[in-house]
């Protein structure tokens, strides 16, 4: 089985396993106690904090261990906003942040900064979003779905000039290196770099106004209540140091493998859009979307072939809505596949993935090609009634009939699936047809496409 979903959770690094087992014997006592066992545990905790702080690029007394990366985000946002409550409750986030950031933002007055088609923000957009009552800005270091690296340094400078702290969610990038720029708060998650799950990091720079929320607790500077999971913390710090030692060499190797996927997939599979920035991206992530493909079905097909991958397709979501990241980027969402290679992934596994992918996509397309489109002609406009059908079916039916109208003629696709709002324009761009726009309909919406070739 080839595990290609490291962006969700990386396999436990061998160094993390060794450190975890060793600290189970040495670090079980309460590190706040003064007897021998407590002192030994305190030494392990202090050493882990020093090592993790070195990896983050902050002082040891600026770093707090939390129970998860999500908890670090929640505590960081709540504490920073509470510390600057006299300024206001306005929060700036990018439209492609991790759900932990977006869910926290729902509690405040929030402005979402848009992204371009590659998934990147611009520093200018953050300048435009700043207000007198802006208490905090948030920006991920790199996107978890498409791998695009954000201009954190530029945005951090903008925020510093405005006197607004910037919180950086560095969960995806921390294993590759420290985050550059004058950020104010930073969060991370150990299981993203090969540490154990259940350990997060929250760094708060000296001078940043911060007020921990919830009941007071004497542990972790009051920022993360509860008894420390010392064995997991030690393993997290040890694995961060270990992956950093390998990062430069491994980045070159994994980038070559993902470049191979980016180049070969459009050659092997028709009607594919590779998404994310082609250059400013994490080394191990490559994401693409396939027209006329159900994302969940494709993931099952690849799983049967021995590959574990993930998807941002609407078809893999219980809400049947597209990934908020793909939606913000305005790219094709159907048949979406994210390949995120773990440290140590080998070339032969990538080659085998490229061998099985075309047949897997073909099988899914064959399964979905059966429904016959419901077509009618009204006033010289071809109408495709795809109401009640989920993407990619509306796009498949559009593709079947576009040749039935003359050049310059239009097709009106009726659909009540949210994903069609992204996938039909994306299909037009890929197939060099003109997307006229969306119109209201008695049910759902009407998406108008003009044939130009």
């Amino acid at each position: 089985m080839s595990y290609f979903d490291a962006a969700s959770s990386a396999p436990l690094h061998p160094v993390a396993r060794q450190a975890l087992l060793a600290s189970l014997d040495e670090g079980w006592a309460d590190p706040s106690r003064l007897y021998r066992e407590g002192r030994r545990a305190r030494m392990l905790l202090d050493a882990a904090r020093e090592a993790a702080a070195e990896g983050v690029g902050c002082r040891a007394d600026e770093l707090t261990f939390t129970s998860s990366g999500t908890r670090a985000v929640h505590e960081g946002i709540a504490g920073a906003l509470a510390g600057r409550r006299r300024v206001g409750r306005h929060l700036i986030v990018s439209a492609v942040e991790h759900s932990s950031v977006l869910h926290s933002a729902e509690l405040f007055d929030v402005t979402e900064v848009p992204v371009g088609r590659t998934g990147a923000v611009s520093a200018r957009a953050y300048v435009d979003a700043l207000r007198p009552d802006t208490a905090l800005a948030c920006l991920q270091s790199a996107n978890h779905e498409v791998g695009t690296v954000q201009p954190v340094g530029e945005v951090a400078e903008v925020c510093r000039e405005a006197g607004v702290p910037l919180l950086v969610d560095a969960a995806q990038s921390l294993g590759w290196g420290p985050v550059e720029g004058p950020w104010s708060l930073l969060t991370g998650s150990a299981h993203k770099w090969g540490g154990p799950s259940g350990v997060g990091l929250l760094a708060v720079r000296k001078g940043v106004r911060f007020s921990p929320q919830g009941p007071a607790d004497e542990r972790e500077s009051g920022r993360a209540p509860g008894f420390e999971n010392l064995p997991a913390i030690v393993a997290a710090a040890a694995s961060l140091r270990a992956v950093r030692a390998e990062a430069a060499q491994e980045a070159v190797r994994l980038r070559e493998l993902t470049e191979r996927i980016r180049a070969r997939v459009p050659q092997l599979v028709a009607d594919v859009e590779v998404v994310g920035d082609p250059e400013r991206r994490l080394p191990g992530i490559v994401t693409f979307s396939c027209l006329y493909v159900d994302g969940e079905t494709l993931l099952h097909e690849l799983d049967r072939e021995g590959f574990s991958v993930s998807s941002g397709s609407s078809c893999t979501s219980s809400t049947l809505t597209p990934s908020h990241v793909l939606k913000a980027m305005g790219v094709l969402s159907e048949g979406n596949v994210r390949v995120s290679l773990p440290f140590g992934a080998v070339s032969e596994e990538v080659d085998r993935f490229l061998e099985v992918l075309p047949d897997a996509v073909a099988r899914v397309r064959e399964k979905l090609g059966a429904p016959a489109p419901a077509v009618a002609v009204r006033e010289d406009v071809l109408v495709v009634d795809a109401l009640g059908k989920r993407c990619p079916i509306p796009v498949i039916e559009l593709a079947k009939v576009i040749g039935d109208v003359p050049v310059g003629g239009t097709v009106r696709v009726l659909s009540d699936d949210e994903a069609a709002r992204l996938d039909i324009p994306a299909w037009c761009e890929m197939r060099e047809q003109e997307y006229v726009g969306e119109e209201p309909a008695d049910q759902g919406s009407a998406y108008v496409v003009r044939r130009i070739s």
Side-chain angles (χ1 to χ4, degrees):
M1 191 73 181
S2 297
Y3 181 75
F4 284 179
D5 194 23
S8 291
S9 188
L12 191 66
H13 194 282
V15 169
R17 184 182 300 277
Q18 294 169 5
L20 183 65
L21 293 175
S23 56
L24 285 171
D25 294 329
E26 298 293 327
W28 50 267
D30 187 343
S32 67
R33 301 307 179 194
L34 299 180
Y35 42 71
R36 182 187 301 113
E37 295 85 355
R39 295 197 305 271
R40 187 183 300 134
R42 169 56 63 179
M43 290 176 62
L44 288 173
L45 180 59
D46 289 345
R49 197 183 310 278
E50 289 281 354
E54 180 183 358
V56 169
C58 67
R59 293 170 33 162
D61 60 355
E62 294 174 332
L63 185 76
T64 298
F65 292 109
T66 66
S67 58
S68 68
T70 294
R71 174 58 64 184
V73 167
H74 291 174
E75 296 289 347
I77 291 177
L81 285 169
R84 286 171 51 83
R85 57 185 174 275
R86 292 184 179 179
V87 174
R89 290 174 58 84
H90 181 234
L91 173 64
I92 303 173
V93 302
S94 83
V96 294
E97 294 297 313
H98 188 269
S99 58
S100 60
V101 173
L102 298 180
H103 290 162
S104 290
E106 292 173 355
L107 304 175
F108 305 97
D109 180 10
V110 61
T111 295
E112 277 196 8
V113 172
V115 298
R117 198 168 175 82
T118 65
V121 302
S122 70
R124 181 73 242 176
Y126 271 75
V127 172
D128 294 341
L130 288 168
R131 301 186 336 203
D133 63 339
T134 301
L136 179 67
C138 299
L139 180 62
Q140 59 189 194
S141 56
N143 187 258
H144 49 293
E145 289 193 25
V146 300
T148 297
V149 173
Q150 300 288 1
V152 172
E154 297 176 41
V155 174
E157 289 288 355
V158 163
C159 291
R160 184 178 67 173
E161 291 174 5
V164 174
L166 177 70
L167 182 148
V168 178
D169 171 15
Q172 287 297 332
S173 72
L174 207 51
W176 296 107
V179 176
E180 302 299 329
W183 50 265
S184 302
L185 303 96
L186 181 143
T187 63
S189 185
H191 74 102
K192 300 290 188 180
W193 67 68
S197 58
V199 179
L201 305 177
L202 170 60
V204 181
R205 296 282 200 198
K206 292 296 181 182
V208 175
R209 291 187 177 277
F210 191 90
S211 177
Q213 299 301 285
D217 194 279
E218 68 276 8
R219 297 182 185 272
E220 291 300 303
S221 303
R223 294 174 183 170
F227 197 93
E228 298 92 345
N229 184 351
L230 186 53
I233 287 172
V234 171
S239 58
L240 180 58
R241 176 173 286 176
V243 298
R244 283 289 186 80
E246 309 165 359
Q249 183 176 353
E250 192 70 359
V252 173
R253 204 178 61 80
L254 291 187
R255 195 174 294 279
E256 188 277 328
L257 294 179
T258 53
E259 287 287 359
R260 189 184 310 174
I261 297 173
R262 288 181 66 89
R264 292 287 289 149
V265 167
Q267 297 172 355
L268 296 169
V269 182
D271 300 315
V272 165
E273 181 179 13
V274 181
V275 300
D277 196 292
E279 297 179 359
R280 289 182 53 84
R281 59 185 179 83
L282 293 175
I285 297 180
V286 56
T287 306
F288 56 89
S289 300
C290 308
L291 275 175
Y292 321 133
V293 169
D294 175 288
E296 184 173 6
T297 305
L298 179 56
L299 263 57
H300 287 317
E301 289 287 342
L302 291 172
D303 183 49
R304 280 192 282 269
E305 294 287 352
F307 291 96
S308 302
V309 298
S310 64
S311 173
S313 170
S314 61
C315 303
T316 63
S317 167
S318 60
T319 60
L320 293 175
T321 57
S323 146
H324 73 278
V325 172
L326 301 179
K327 185 176 181 179
M329 294 167 62
V331 297
L332 181 69
S333 71
E334 66 186 52
N336 179 260
V337 174
R338 180 188 67 184
V339 174
S340 49
L341 303 178
F343 274 50
V346 297
S347 178
E348 291 77 11
E349 292 177 318
V350 170
D351 289 339
R352 193 170 72 84
F353 174 79
L354 293 172
E355 288 178 6
V356 306
L357 179 66
D359 286 342
V361 173
R363 288 193 297 271
V364 175
R365 284 175 172 168
E366 184 178 1
K367 291 176 183 177
L368 295 174
V375 179
V377 178
R378 302 175 189 170
E379 299 178 354
D380 298 326
V381 176
L382 193 63
V383 178
V384 175
D385 186 352
L387 292 169
K389 298 176 181 178
R390 298 296 179 186
C391 280
I393 298 301
V395 184
I396 291 174
E397 297 190 351
L398 167 61
K400 286 181 177 180
V401 302
I402 191 68
D404 295 340
V405 299
V407 173
T410 58
V411 179
R412 197 166 182 262
V413 183
L414 302 178
S415 176
D416 52 5
D417 182 12
E418 175 70 18
R421 185 168 286 114
L422 287 177
D423 295 345
I424 290 177
W427 178 90
C428 291
E429 182 168 333
M430 294 171 69
R431 302 312 295 268
E432 297 183 342
Q433 307 297 342
E434 180 186 353
Y435 178 62
V436 177
E438 179 181 349
E439 299 177 351
D442 292 339
Q443 291 180 265
S445 298
Y447 301 93
V448 182
V449 176
R450 178 176 288 110
R451 181 184 176 189
I452 59 175
S453 64

